[in-house]
Amino acid sequence: MEKLDKRDLIVQAALELVAEQGFHGAPMAMIADKAGVGAGTIYRYFENKDALIRDIYSMVEARVVAAIMKDYPEKGPVRERFMHIGRVLVNYLVSAPLELRFVEQFHNSPFGVDHRREKIFGKGEKDIISELFHEALEQQIFKSLPLSMLFALFFSPLIDVCRDQILGFIDLNEELIEQAVGACWDAVRR
C-alpha cells in the first residue's frame, strides 16, 4: 500500500507542478520535493520524466473516457453521441482544472504532437471519439474535412470554453454547455 501512496503522491505533485509551471518548470527534484519523497524514489516508479508525463496523460485520458462511457448512448444517432461526449468533456474538465491545464501543456508539446499523430494516423486501436468521427465521415454526416480539422473544430472551442469558465470569464450552466457543444456540431456537420 505504501508504494501506491508514494506513486500517487508523485503523480499528484507532477500534475500540479506541470499545470502551474509547464514541463520545463517542473524538474524531477522539484516534483520529488513537492511529493515529499527522495528524488531517487521517483525512478522506482518511472523510468524518467518523459515516462512520468506520459503516464499522467494516460491516467487523465482514462478518467475522461470513463466519464464519457457512463450513460454513453452507444446505439444512439451520431448527433446524440457527439452531444453526450461534448457535454461530458466540458463538465469533466471544468471540474478538474489541474487536469485541463496539464492536458493543454501536453497537447502543446512534442508529447502531444506524437500522441495526436497516433490518434489520427496510427494503426492502433481507435478510441470512442475517433470511431464516432470516422462513422460520421463514412455516413457523410460530417463535412469532408481532414480528421485533424474536425477534431480541432470540436475540441478547441470546448477547451477554450472550459478555460474561460475556470478563469471566471463565463458562468457555464447546462444550457450554455448545450449551446457550445451544439455550435461545435454545427461546425462539423454537412
Side-chain angles (χ1 to χ4, degrees), residues 16-128:
E16 290 174 17
L17 286 170
V18 168
E20 294 165 5
Q21 303 190 38
F23 293 127
H24 298 297
M28 292 296 255
M30 188 182 287
I31 293 169
D33 187 51
K34 186 167 183 75
V37 301
T41 303
I42 293 177
Y43 296 101
R44 290 186 200 156
Y45 303 98
F46 305 97
E47 182 181 343
N48 53 38
K49 187 174 176 184
D50 290 0
L52 172 60
I53 290 167
R54 284 187 180 94
D55 193 67
I56 293 170
Y57 184 82
S58 292
M59 174 195 73
V60 171
E61 188 176 48
R63 288 177 182 171
V64 170
V65 168
I68 287 170
M69 294 311 296
K70 185 176 187 295
D71 300 323
Y72 182 67
E74 202 165 335
K75 302 288 186 204
V78 168
R79 185 179 192 285
E80 181 183 358
R81 289 180 280 153
F82 180 97
M83 296 298 291
H84 173 84
I85 290 169
R87 283 190 301 269
V88 171
L89 183 67
V90 169
N91 282 307
Y92 182 88
L93 292 175
V94 164
S95 72
L98 284 178
E99 291 182 16
L100 171 60
R101 289 201 313 259
F102 181 89
V103 166
E104 286 183 301
Q105 291 283 334
F106 185 90
H107 280 286
N108 290 307
S109 75
F111 298 109
V113 172
D114 291 343
H115 179 77
R116 192 164 172 230
R117 185 173 285 117
E118 176 60 29
K119 288 285 186 189
I120 294 171
F121 305 115
K123 303 293 183 218
E125 185 177 318
K126 297 295 181 198
D127 61 42
I128 193 83

Side-chain angles (χ1 to χ4, degrees), residues 137-153:
L137 282 167
E138 287 171 12
Q139 294 180 17
Q140 298 183 351
I141 295 170
F142 282 180
K143 293 174 178 148
S144 183
L145 295 171
L147 193 57
S148 61
M149 287 180 71
L150 293 170
F151 279 175
L153 291 168

